[in-house]
């Protein structure tokens, strides 16, 4: 080979090596730049960064001085209106005001879209939408609920629970939803989202931790019975009690800590949302403080450790904090609906028609009735449904500790006015005012305190008839509790007089029961029959001498103790009972009470009532 050939070979080899080295270096540099760019985007599009941006952006928006922007008069006025709308929405968005909440979320969504150029790739740095294995159970839940919400609105959670049987009892007998359950939901609904949907989901998550209710923000808006938090897991005050290191390590698992404490109430069942937990105690405290602020009822503190309030949407909000409660807790009960359930949706099971007809005739017959049962048994729901059968000419006046029945949402064409207690207005003052408002029927949301019990007795004497709810287990318990309340109020001094005053007002008791599996039914419909004191002829006797006087005095004392030591001044009679999954007739309504009821009914209604009473056969009066 010539020298020239060797030189060419060497040159070619050198060039090949140089190209390879150059490509290798370029690849390393390119990969590094790609890695740096990816790390940068991960940081820029991280949830924490987006959250801070939104906080600062909103803070900047609501504090800016429009007068210093040099705008024309029309532009300045338009900006001022926008600013005031945003400020108002921020103040009321977490009170149950849906329109304000939607406004704030849309503002966040718009702000993010303007600042960040979201693509199908970089949006996954916020949440791993394209990698389901990296999504948390809460992420999958929020995405699935978002998809369901587009079709079912506020019934989305109900649809999810019913479709996947999430309210079925577990082997332990309790109710809970775990991450594995949410995985099944996500497989069906989780992938039906667009880039726009993903940005909306991100905005809702930011809102939840900025102004909303954290992990249960979207759940709180659903059509369920209620939501609560802080009622399970190990309270922080107990974390240092045990010296066992294994025990302390177990607290790091959110399932064992006091942060895994979100619950919902659905169809009377308390269901633990085990698949998600508050990030830290400060977040739980923030949610508690946010939940009760509607109308500014005061500050929750050690000196004022519990507050009962309402939300903008009519929900009842109860909160408490240490040292009164062992942890920070909140309870939000939603006892309202834009429409009432029909009676046949509430009273079910075999021969339900029997119970429904009697319930309706108690209303049409203007009978004062107490609807009793445990919390969640359906007392309020049944009462609301039965109000439909009160004669249209009658005016309704409602006395409540806090607005809960919200009857004008359902019966908005009727003459209805509700009153609630305040710091300065007691239930008695409300009742006194109610007497001057042309009312015919009094409805008491819940008789739970002595003043309300006293109001109930007054209402029973003054109104055409009264309807009320109570938590008593039996009819006797109902009467004894109300009688004790009258004694505490100083209206009566002895049990017998107080009980007699109660049974002269209360005529019927409808008791509802809920089983552990959530099944609800009317356990019994009971008539309360007072036993009036028997008049004695002793007072008409005339003593002619000392012996006769002594004998008369002794007889009077015996009669007095006989009258006052009688077991109770009333008897109860079950009219309908629920036995073996079926409603059955028991004892008939007394003839006197039937007559009183017929006097309040039209001729047609009266005939229907008489036909119903024939079902008691020979026992009917």
């Amino acid at each position: 080979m010539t020298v020239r050939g060797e030189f060419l070979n060497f040159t070619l080899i050198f060039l090949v090596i140089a190209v390879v080295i150059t490509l290798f270096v370029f690849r390393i540099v390119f990969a590094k730049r790609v890695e740096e760019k990816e790390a940068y985007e991960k940081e820029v599009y991280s949830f924490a960064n987006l959250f801070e941006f939104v906080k600062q952006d909103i803070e900047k928006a609501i504090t800016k001085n429009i007068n210093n922007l040099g705008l024309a008069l029309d532009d300045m006025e338009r900006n001022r209106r926008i600013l005031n709308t945003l400020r108002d929405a921020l103040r009321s968005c977490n009170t149950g005001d849906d329109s304000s909440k939607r406004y704030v979320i849309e503002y966040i969504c718009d702000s993010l879209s303007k600042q960040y150029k979201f693509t199908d790739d970089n949006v996954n740095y916020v949440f791993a939408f394209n990698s389901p294995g990296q999504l948390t159970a809460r992420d999958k839940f929020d995405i699935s609920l978002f998809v369901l919400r587009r079709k079912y609105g506020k019934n989305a959670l109900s649809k999810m629970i019913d479709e996947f049987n999430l309210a079925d009892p577990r082997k332990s007998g309790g109710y809970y939803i775990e991450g594995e359950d949410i995985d099944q939901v996500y497989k069906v609904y989780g992938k039906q989202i667009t880039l726009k949907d993903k940005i909306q989901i991100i905005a809702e998550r930011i809102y939840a931790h900025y102004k909303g209710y954290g992990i249960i923000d979207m759940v709180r808006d659903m059509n369920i019975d209620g939501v609560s938090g802080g009622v399970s897991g190990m309270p922080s005050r107990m974390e240092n009690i045990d010296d066992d290191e294994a025990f302390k390590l177990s607290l790091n698992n959110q399932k064992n800590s006091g942060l895994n404490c979100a619950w919902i109430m659905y169809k009377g069942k308390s269901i633990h949302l085990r698949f998600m937990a508050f990030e830290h105690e400060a977040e739980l405290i923030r949610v508690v403080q946010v939940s009760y602020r509607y109308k500014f009822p005061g500050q929750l503190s050690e000196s004022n450790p519990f507050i009962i309030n309402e939300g903008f949407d009519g929900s009842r909000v109860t909160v408490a904090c240490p040292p009164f409660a062992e942890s920070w807790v909140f309870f939000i009960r939603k006892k309202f609906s834009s429409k009432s359930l029909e009676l046949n949706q509430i009273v079910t099971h075999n021969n339900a028609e029997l119970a429904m007809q009697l319930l309706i005739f108690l209303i049409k017959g203007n009978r004062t009735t107490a609807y009793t049962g445990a919390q969640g048994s359906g007392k309020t729901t049944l009462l609301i449904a039965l109000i439909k059968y009160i004669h249209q000419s009658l005016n309704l006046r409602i006395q409540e500790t806090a607005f809960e029945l919200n009857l004008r949402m359902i019966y908005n064409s009727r003459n209805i006015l509700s009153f609630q207690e305040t710091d300065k207005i007691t239930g008695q003052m409300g009742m006194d005012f109610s007497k001057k408002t042309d009312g015919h029927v009094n409805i008491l949301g819940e008789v739970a305190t002595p003043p309300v019990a006293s109001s109930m007795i007054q209402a029973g004497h003054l109104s055409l008839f009264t309807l009320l709810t109570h938590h008593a287990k039996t009819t006797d318990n109902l009467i004894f509790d109300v009688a004790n309340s009258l004694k505490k109020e100083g209206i009566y001094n002895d049990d017998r007089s107080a009980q007699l005053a109660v049974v002269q007002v209360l005529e019927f008791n409808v008791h509802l029961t809920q089983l552990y599996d959530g099944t609800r039914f009317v356990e019994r419909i009971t008539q309360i029959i007072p036993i009036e004191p028997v008049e004695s002829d002793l007072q008409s006797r005339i003593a002619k001498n000392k012996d006769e006087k002594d004998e008369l005095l002794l007889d009077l004392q015996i009669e007095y103790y006989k009258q006052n030591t009688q077991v109770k001044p009333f008897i109860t009679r079950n009219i309908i009972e629920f036995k073996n999954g079926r409603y059955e007739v028991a004892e008939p309504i007394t003839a006197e009470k039937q007559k009183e009821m017929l006097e309040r009914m039209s001729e047609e209604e009266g005939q229907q009532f008489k036909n119903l009473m024939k079902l008691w056969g020979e026992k009917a009066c």
Side-chain angles (χ1 to χ4, degrees), residues 522-556:
V522 177
E523 183 179 304
R524 54 179 170 76
I525 300 177
T526 305
Q527 182 183 356
I528 302 169
I529 307 169
I531 301 175
E532 298 292 343
V534 179
E535 292 190 8
S536 172
D537 61 349
L538 292 176
Q539 293 180 350
S540 62
R541 281 170 51 182
I542 300 175
K544 297 179 179 180
N545 52 52
K546 184 177 182 302
D547 291 339
E548 288 183 358
K549 288 181 179 178
D550 292 340
E551 183 181 355
L552 177 58
L553 179 61
L554 180 60
D555 289 342
L556 286 170

Side-chain angles (χ1 to χ4, degrees), residues 473-504:
K473 296 179 180 179
T474 66
T475 304
D476 284 10
N477 290 154
L478 166 67
I479 295 167
F480 295 155
D481 183 73
V482 177
N484 286 335
S485 295
L486 296 182
K487 288 173 60 182
K488 289 179 181 178
E489 286 293 285
I491 301 174
Y492 294 95
N493 295 322
D494 63 279
D495 292 334
R496 182 176 176 78
S497 299
Q499 292 169 16
L500 192 57
V502 174
V503 299
Q504 286 173 340

Side-chain angles (χ1 to χ4, degrees), residues 147-341:
V147 174
L148 285 164
R149 203 175 69 223
R150 287 187 302 198
K151 184 176 182 180
Y152 299 101
K154 292 191 175 184
N155 293 316
L157 184 57
S158 300
K159 171 66 176 175
M160 180 190 296
I161 292 174
D162 292 341
E163 181 177 345
F164 294 90
N165 301 314
L166 302 182
D168 287 353
R170 305 293 177 146
K171 291 182 179 180
S172 63
Y175 299 89
Y176 53 83
I177 302 174
E178 295 190 299
E180 292 79 3
D181 302 313
I182 301 304
D183 288 340
Q184 298 303 314
V185 178
Y186 181 80
K187 287 178 182 178
V188 178
Y189 294 104
K191 299 178 182 179
Q192 304 174 21
I193 52 174
T194 64
L195 176 61
K196 184 179 179 181
D197 295 335
K198 294 174 182 178
I199 298 172
Q200 184 75 19
I201 290 170
I202 292 168
E204 290 180 357
R205 178 70 69 88
I206 290 173
Y207 168 83
H209 291 281
Y210 175 45
K211 284 291 183 178
Y213 291 79
I215 59 176
I216 50 91
D217 187 72
M218 287 301 161
V219 173
R220 186 239 183 273
D221 296 333
M222 295 292 105
N223 285 337
I224 55 177
D225 297 337
V227 61
S228 59
V231 292
S232 59
M234 185 71 70
S236 58
R237 68 181 181 84
M238 302 178 71
E239 292 180 2
N240 296 320
I241 293 177
D242 200 309
D243 293 330
D244 186 356
E245 288 299 321
F247 169 76
K248 290 182 178 180
L249 289 173
S250 72
L251 293 176
N252 294 326
N253 183 343
Q254 289 183 327
K255 288 186 177 181
N256 299 324
S257 75
L259 301 176
N260 183 239
C261 58
W263 293 69
I264 62 172
M265 182 169 284
Y266 180 69
K267 295 182 178 179
K269 304 173 185 178
S270 289
I271 304 175
H272 188 190
L273 304 181
R274 288 187 176 181
F275 62 90
M276 61 183 176
F278 291 95
E279 294 179 2
H280 38 68
E281 189 177 24
E283 174 70 354
L284 172 60
I285 294 173
R286 184 191 70 81
V287 172
V288 172
Q289 293 175 330
V290 160
S291 62
Y292 72 91
R293 301 308 295 272
Y294 180 59
K295 292 184 178 178
F296 307 104
Q299 181 66 42
L300 190 66
S301 62
E302 289 189 9
S303 59
N304 185 30
F306 68 88
I307 292 176
I308 301 173
N309 197 25
E310 62 177 331
F312 179 89
D313 56 1
S315 56
R316 182 182 69 194
V317 180
T318 306
V319 296
C321 70
F324 171 68
E326 61 181 346
S327 62
W328 289 77
V329 294
F330 65 90
F331 302 87
I332 301 173
R333 288 299 309 276
K334 306 176 74 174
K335 294 189 174 184
F336 62 90
S337 174
S338 58
K339 63 179 182 178
S340 172
L341 291 175

Side-chain angles (χ1 to χ4, degrees), residues 503-516:
V503 299
Q504 286 173 340
V505 170
L506 280 180
E507 298 173 288
F508 288 89
N509 173 210
V510 177
H511 187 74
L512 295 96
T513 296
Q514 179 186 29
L515 302 180
Y516 290 125

Side-chain angles (χ1 to χ4, degrees), residues 41-51 125-126:
E41 288 192 336
K42 281 184 177 180
E43 175 64 24
V44 170
Y45 288 92
S46 68
F47 179 79
N49 189 63
L50 298 182
F51 183 79
Y125 293 133
V126 188

